[in-house]
Amino acid sequence: MTTNLYVLYGGKSAEHEVSLLTALTVLNALDKQKYNVYPIYITKAGIWCSLGLLDHELTDVTELQAEHPDTRPAASIGNLLCKLFSEGTEQKVVLPVLHGTNGEDGTVQGLLELMDVPYVGNGVLSSAAGMDKVIMKDLFAQAGIPQTDYTALLQHEWQSDAERECLRIEGRIGYPCYVKPANLGSSVGISRCDNRQDLCRAVHIALQYDRKLVIEKEVIGREIQLAVIGNDHPQCSVAGEFIKELDFFDYDKKYKSGRLIQQIPARLTDDIHSRLMDLSIQAFTALDGAGLMRVDFFVTDDNDIYINEVNTLPGFTKISMFPTLWEKTNGTTYAQLIDKLIELALERHERKQARNYRRDE
């Protein structure tokens, strides 16, 4: 049976450009003999645009962008989805490569659940929990996964009494610390703070991106990443790390400069490596993960382990760690990895269809 594969990218998010880079790589890697590939571009205004059936190699992200005369997001979504998903008998799968807000936070996943179509990646709950760093850390704490000290800060709390909140943060977390928007990724809006002046400036920056922030005590250690794929029986890759020039790896350094060295497998003892793999599966399970998840840790010089965060929709750009980890783990190619994720999406959807949604009389 022919499979129609709809790739969603762009989006109303600060990570719009990152999504375009991921989409370019994914779309070029897909086997056009196996899938009918339909790129679906979501503009920064939230308008959904179909680029039609893709049958050629793409050379630049500008080819992935389009404008639509309809300026009403709801109308563009409804018209497009009804047209695409109601026609034909082909097997249909959605592959979201949307990063950040309105992409990996459970909103698109909820829409696809209502449309009753299979989609790659985590479901509504795990996407939302993985995106919200405060909820994520609360769940890790409940699961007993080691992590650094943290606290949440809401916008109205800061606006009500910034002095009080500074004192609370200083007493509970101290300096140095990191201030992050709770619902964003790709290092956007993140600042390191050494004193109160830094803290106030960092909060001001982060509140531009989210009403909820997380403040974390700094951990001095190497950043180690692992990749998990699966549904009920997840598997974990070997660990990897980036060798980087700066203490803090910001957005421009991560996505624009390309000056990265991947060390796979990471330089770890066998015991620490095994422990990280176990904790990665534990984190995946704690968030009720499905499909894929990248799990990030800090490992100190004393071999203390702290989970940093997870990414429920990790990037697939040419410098992304997730696909490289699987290639180094068992030889899985980029295209094979996408095929596997599509298979997992279909497997999960098939199980959902077997549920009984009626109460027996």
Side-chain angles (χ1 to χ4, degrees):
M1 178 184 293
T2 304
T3 299
N4 285 353
L5 183 63
Y6 304 94
V7 181
L8 305 182
Y9 61 91
K12 199 174 178 179
S13 166
E15 299 179 70
H16 184 97
E17 286 74 19
V18 179
S19 177
L20 291 178
L21 292 172
T22 300
L24 181 67
T25 312
V26 168
L27 288 165
N28 282 336
L30 288 166
D31 186 347
K32 308 304 188 296
Q33 302 298 316
K34 184 182 295 186
Y35 307 107
N36 297 324
V37 180
Y38 294 90
I40 307 296
Y41 173 56
I42 304 175
T43 71
K44 290 184 177 181
I47 309 300
W48 289 39
C49 312
S50 174
L51 276 66
L53 180 65
L54 180 65
D55 58 3
H56 63 279
E57 183 92 356
L58 297 164
T59 59
D60 190 82
V61 293
T62 56
E63 299 177 67
L64 296 176
Q65 296 169 284
E67 295 299 330
H68 195 282
D70 194 337
T71 58
R72 299 166 298 164
S76 71
I77 296 170
N79 292 337
L80 182 57
L81 293 186
C82 288
K83 182 178 184 298
L84 293 178
F85 297 149
S86 63
E87 296 178 351
T89 59
E90 298 88 351
Q91 181 170 256
K92 300 173 175 65
V93 185
V94 175
L95 173 54
V97 290
L98 297 159
H99 300 297
T101 308
N102 296 324
E104 57 181 304
D105 58 2
T107 51
V108 164
Q109 290 76 14
L111 175 63
L112 297 174
E113 291 282 355
L114 292 174
M115 295 296 297
D116 197 28
V117 294
Y119 59 92
V120 171
N122 290 274
V124 176
L125 175 63
S126 49
S127 295
M131 186 68 180
D132 188 313
K133 294 180 177 65
V134 175
I135 300 300
M136 173 188 68
K137 289 178 176 296
D138 289 346
L139 290 172
F140 290 159
Q142 186 175 5
I145 302 174
Q147 59 187 327
T148 190
D149 294 335
Y150 70 96
T151 189
L153 174 64
L154 298 178
Q155 185 173 26
H156 77 86
E157 295 172 334
W158 182 259
Q159 292 173 339
S160 174
D161 194 334
E163 172 70 16
R164 178 194 64 204
E165 294 306 315
C166 283
L167 290 171
R168 181 178 68 85
I169 293 166
E170 289 166 346
R172 182 165 180 178
I173 306 300
Y175 300 109
C177 65
Y178 281 89
V179 175
K180 305 177 181 180
N183 290 279
L184 207 58
S186 298
S187 305
V188 175
I190 298 177
S191 303
R192 182 181 184 274
C193 308
D194 284 314
N195 50 54
R196 181 173 291 195
Q197 182 178 358
D198 289 348
L199 178 62
C200 293
R201 182 170 56 248
V203 170
H204 174 74
I205 292 171
L207 286 176
Q208 297 177 53
Y209 297 99
D210 197 2
R211 58 173 285 277
K212 182 196 292 187
L213 310 182
V214 61
I215 296 91
E216 303 170 352
K217 185 178 182 63
E218 182 179 58
V219 175
I220 303 299
R222 295 153 55 198
E223 297 181 39
I224 309 295
Q225 302 180 347
L226 298 93
V228 180
I229 61 172
N231 288 329
D232 294 335
H233 305 286
Q235 297 178 308
C236 187
S237 73
V238 298
E241 63 181 318
F242 281 121
I243 307 300
K244 22 187 208 298
E245 299 175 358
L246 299 179
D247 290 337
F248 170 54
F249 207 35
D250 64 11
Y251 178 95
D252 286 342
K253 190 76 173 176
K254 183 178 293 185
Y255 290 106
K256 294 183 179 180
S257 67
R259 291 177 292 177
L260 294 175
I261 300 173
Q262 291 179 337
Q263 177 70 44
I264 305 175
R267 296 162 297 178
L268 301 163
T269 66
D270 290 343
D271 287 346
I272 295 299
H273 205 153
S274 178
R275 176 65 174 152
L276 287 169
M277 295 176 73
D278 289 344
L279 286 171
S280 296
I281 297 295
Q282 191 176 347
F284 184 92
T285 303
L287 295 181
D288 193 26
L292 74 166
M293 190 177 291
R294 196 191 71 231
V295 189
D296 301 347
F297 294 91
F298 293 116
V299 178
T300 71
D301 289 343
D302 294 329
N303 282 332
D304 293 324
I305 295 172
Y306 299 91
I307 193 167
N308 179 23
E309 62 181 10
V310 302
N311 193 316
T312 57
L313 195 58
F316 274 77
T317 67
K318 63 181 179 181
I319 62 170
S320 295
M321 183 66 84
F322 191 93
T324 310
L325 283 170
W326 279 109
E327 182 180 4
K328 298 293 186 180
T329 298
N330 55 18
T332 301
T333 67
Y334 191 97
Q336 289 171 339
L337 181 59
I338 296 174
D339 288 343
K340 176 62 176 177
L341 294 174
I342 292 170
E343 291 172 8
L344 289 168
L346 292 170
E347 172 190 279
R348 185 181 56 172
H349 186 71
E350 183 179 352
R351 291 185 180 180
K352 288 180 182 176
Q353 302 311 300
R355 294 176 186 165
N356 183 4
Y357 292 97
R358 296 180 299 176
R359 184 173 63 87
D360 293 334
E361 297 296 336

